[in-house]
Amino acid sequence: KKKMDEEYDVIVLGTGLTECVLSGLLATSGKKVLHLDRNDYYGGESASLTTKQLFQKFKGEEVSEEKLGRSRDYCVDLIPKFLMANGKLIKMLYLTGVTRYNMEFGKIEGSFVYREYKGKPTIHKVPVTPKEMMSSGLLGFFEKFKAKKLATFIAQYDEKNPSTHQGMDLTKMTAEALFKKYGVSDETVEFCGHTCALFSNDEFLQRPAIETVVKMRLYADSLAMYGSSPYIYPLYGLGELPQVFARLCAVYGGVYMLNKPVDEVLYDDNGKFEGIKSGDEVAKAKMVVGDPSYFSNKVKKTGQVIRTICILDHPIQSIAPCTSGQIIIPQGQVGRKNDIYICCTSYNLRTVPKGKYLAIVATTVETENPEAEIQVGLDLLGPVLEKFTYILDTYEAVEDGSKDNVYVSKSYDASTHFESCSSDIVDIFERITGEKFDWNKKPPNSE
């Protein structure tokens, strides 16, 4: 019988998605992994809950199934995020072989952007291809031609083929300079940067243009895979993802223990990680990976995120006939520093019973009145049956783990996609192994 009192290559603390993906990656790379969680369920902050669990967690009361339907028919993500169809996380699913566990995905029906027009809010489908640019109501007549030229350049751009660069070095040119070259308006810059490249603020404008172009290409490539939006999503919610990676780790000899408190993190005389203690048991390892809640003395607070979960009995009118989708409210449209995100799902994705809809509004907190900050998003939803609002502090590691062999993941941001989370996974994996992540390797046991 395997137990804690053994020596491992890596100990992983917490079963959030980041930690579970890393334990799966490390196990398939030949590492002996021990994975613990103080909770008796998978997912940590990124768990999926029933309405019974939601009411107990946030309101301390019982759910009215007569009003909302059966509790077990709900799979409500506490950290709602969609997967880019051609993004890093999907590639990790393939590379690690977890696709063999028959996870089912559905497509998100649309991706939208908020724009104020003559003082009134309007919602538009995000245009990204040259053809969409020309037909979008988001752009004026002459602006469409400028935006089409920009979109055509991005679609044809190949880092390895200088003939597609039009004499520009995008590694040295800023994104702002690239947009100025094509003469596009501030509104075009806004939707390109915030709803296609998915930056949450305007800092990208002073960064190398190549970053924006690569992100817009990813959006366009993902969109081309399914047509209506670049996003897909697991049926029955994100709670399935940590569990399939946990299963993968176990297949490769990883040991999992839920409901296992970590009483002490142990270090040697040089301050390097040595092991963890739980009750009378001690597990030793060369290194540890964990979420910030296990390492309060090794992280710094980076901000707060507010999220409001809303249960509806109707789809969001402004994106009809879509019953699932993402709406981004760019910061500049509402006088903020950070974007506001809305994601909505329906019975088609098995997150709610028939006739009910789920919408979650999130943003980075900027003021002393966080709920007022997301009101513009809530106003787009229409009547709400039930609402659950919560605020989480966000953290990141103070050091990179090279001195103490402690590798701490970042808290989940307010965005409704997994690209930033996936980048954190790759970054930690590369720091642990000292090697570049191999995106071209074959899945384990592939024929």
Side-chain angles (χ1 to χ4, degrees):
K1 182 181 178 181
K2 291 183 177 178
K3 55 182 180 178
M4 268 191 60
D5 292 315
E6 292 185 20
E7 185 139 355
Y8 296 85
D9 294 318
V10 186
I11 294 174
V12 181
L13 304 179
T15 54
L17 182 68
T18 301
E19 288 72 38
C20 285
V21 175
L22 279 165
S23 70
L25 289 171
L26 292 166
T28 57
S29 298
K31 304 286 187 187
K32 184 179 178 183
V33 179
L34 172 65
H35 200 152
L36 308 178
D37 196 314
R38 63 169 74 91
N39 299 309
D40 59 0
Y41 56 86
Y42 285 98
E45 284 187 355
S46 56
S48 296
L49 304 183
T50 63
T51 47
K52 180 179 181 180
Q53 292 169 318
L54 271 179
F55 272 80
Q56 289 173 345
K57 181 177 178 66
F58 294 113
K59 297 189 176 184
E61 59 188 57
E62 292 300 311
V63 62
S64 169
E65 291 196 343
E66 184 178 339
K67 177 182 178 183
L68 298 178
R70 288 190 308 186
S71 173
R72 67 185 185 189
D73 290 337
Y74 285 84
C75 299
V76 182
D77 297 325
L78 294 180
I79 309 286
K81 290 183 183 289
F82 298 149
L83 287 79
M84 196 76 81
N86 198 36
K88 292 176 182 175
L89 188 55
I90 288 294
K91 291 176 181 176
M92 288 179 198
L93 288 170
Y94 173 74
L95 291 175
T96 54
V98 296
T99 48
R100 78 185 78 164
Y101 298 129
N102 297 321
M103 276 196 75
E104 292 187 75
F105 289 84
K107 70 177 182 179
I108 299 300
E109 295 171 51
S111 180
F112 303 88
V113 59
Y114 172 102
R115 171 71 59 81
E116 284 211 356
Y117 180 70
K118 294 184 177 180
K120 293 184 179 180
T122 59
I123 304 296
H124 302 264
K125 185 180 184 299
V126 177
V128 69
T129 65
K131 184 178 179 180
E132 286 182 330
M133 295 282 190
M134 293 304 291
S135 61
S136 174
L138 200 58
L139 306 172
F141 180 77
F142 292 108
E143 184 65 17
K144 287 179 179 179
F145 290 96
K146 297 176 185 176
K148 182 184 177 183
K149 283 186 178 180
L150 173 63
T152 300
F153 166 72
I154 291 171
Q156 296 174 347
Y157 182 84
D158 181 350
E159 285 184 76
K160 297 177 181 178
N161 184 359
S163 66
T164 67
H165 297 184
Q166 297 187 11
M168 295 180 285
D169 184 350
L170 299 191
T171 62
K172 296 179 180 177
M173 185 184 209
T174 65
E176 185 175 49
L178 176 64
F179 289 125
K180 281 185 177 179
K181 177 176 173 59
Y182 283 90
V184 294
S185 68
D186 290 344
E187 288 78 10
T188 301
V189 172
E190 183 178 73
F191 85 72
C192 284
H194 291 263
T195 60
C196 299
L198 299 173
F199 292 107
S200 62
N201 55 50
D202 279 345
E203 292 175 6
F204 75 95
L205 289 170
Q206 304 309 317
R207 301 275 304 164
I210 187 66
E211 296 176 5
T212 299
V213 170
V214 167
K215 285 175 176 283
M216 288 185 68
R217 281 290 299 272
L218 170 62
Y219 189 100
D221 292 345
S222 297
L223 181 67
M225 296 182 76
Y226 296 103
S228 56
S229 92
Y231 301 111
I232 59 175
Y233 183 81
L235 298 189
Y236 304 102
L238 295 173
E240 296 291 300
L241 280 173
Q243 293 188 55
V244 293
F245 279 102
R247 201 179 313 165
L248 174 75
C249 180
V251 166
Y252 282 84
V255 177
Y256 266 80
M257 296 182 183
L258 295 178
N259 202 20
K260 196 76 172 175
V262 176
D263 298 319
E264 188 179 356
V265 179
L266 306 174
Y267 300 90
D268 65 17
D269 293 339
N270 296 315
K272 286 188 178 292
F273 174 77
E274 193 172 48
I276 58 106
K277 187 176 182 181
S278 178
D280 296 330
E281 296 179 293
V282 173
K284 294 198 171 184
K286 302 175 183 71
M287 60 188 73
V288 64
V289 176
D291 71 55
S293 69
Y294 288 90
F295 301 100
S296 58
N297 62 330
K298 291 183 178 291
V299 296
K300 61 182 178 182
K301 184 177 174 180
T302 55
Q304 290 182 309
V305 173
I306 180 172
R307 295 180 178 88
T308 294
I309 298 168
C310 300
I311 298 174
L312 316 174
D313 60 4
H314 57 86
I316 299 176
Q317 184 177 0
S318 56
I319 67 170
C322 295
T323 61
S324 63
Q326 171 188 256
I327 304 172
I328 293 180
I329 304 176
Q331 37 118 357
Q333 291 295 312
V334 286
R336 291 177 47 78
K337 296 176 183 176
N338 295 277
D339 295 350
I340 299 170
Y341 299 90
I342 302 171
C343 69
C344 54
T345 58
S346 66
Y347 173 74
N348 291 344
L349 296 166
R350 304 299 189 268
T351 56
V352 288
K354 286 184 178 180
K356 298 295 187 290
Y357 302 82
L358 196 61
I360 303 176
V361 185
T363 193
T364 300
V365 174
E366 297 179 7
T367 71
E368 297 296 319
N369 188 3
E371 290 196 49
E373 297 182 49
I374 58 170
Q375 191 59 49
V376 62
L378 296 173
D379 290 343
L380 296 175
L381 306 184
V384 174
L385 293 177
E386 287 290 347
K387 186 170 73 171
F388 308 86
T389 298
Y390 56 106
I391 298 170
L392 294 176
D393 293 339
T394 58
Y395 299 92
E396 67 179 21
V398 176
E399 297 183 342
D400 65 3
S402 58
K403 294 179 181 177
D404 54 12
N405 294 335
V406 176
Y407 299 91
V408 186
S409 61
K410 294 180 180 178
S411 300
Y412 300 101
D413 62 20
S415 69
T416 47
H417 57 84
F418 270 116
E419 290 309 292
S420 55
C421 173
S422 301
S423 296
D424 190 33
I425 291 168
V426 172
D427 180 50
I428 292 174
F429 183 83
E430 290 180 343
R431 279 186 275 140
I432 287 173
T433 62
E435 301 172 0
K436 293 294 289 181
F437 191 86
D438 183 5
W439 292 102
N440 298 313
K441 67 181 179 182
K442 291 185 178 181
N445 297 331
S446 63
E447 296 297 325

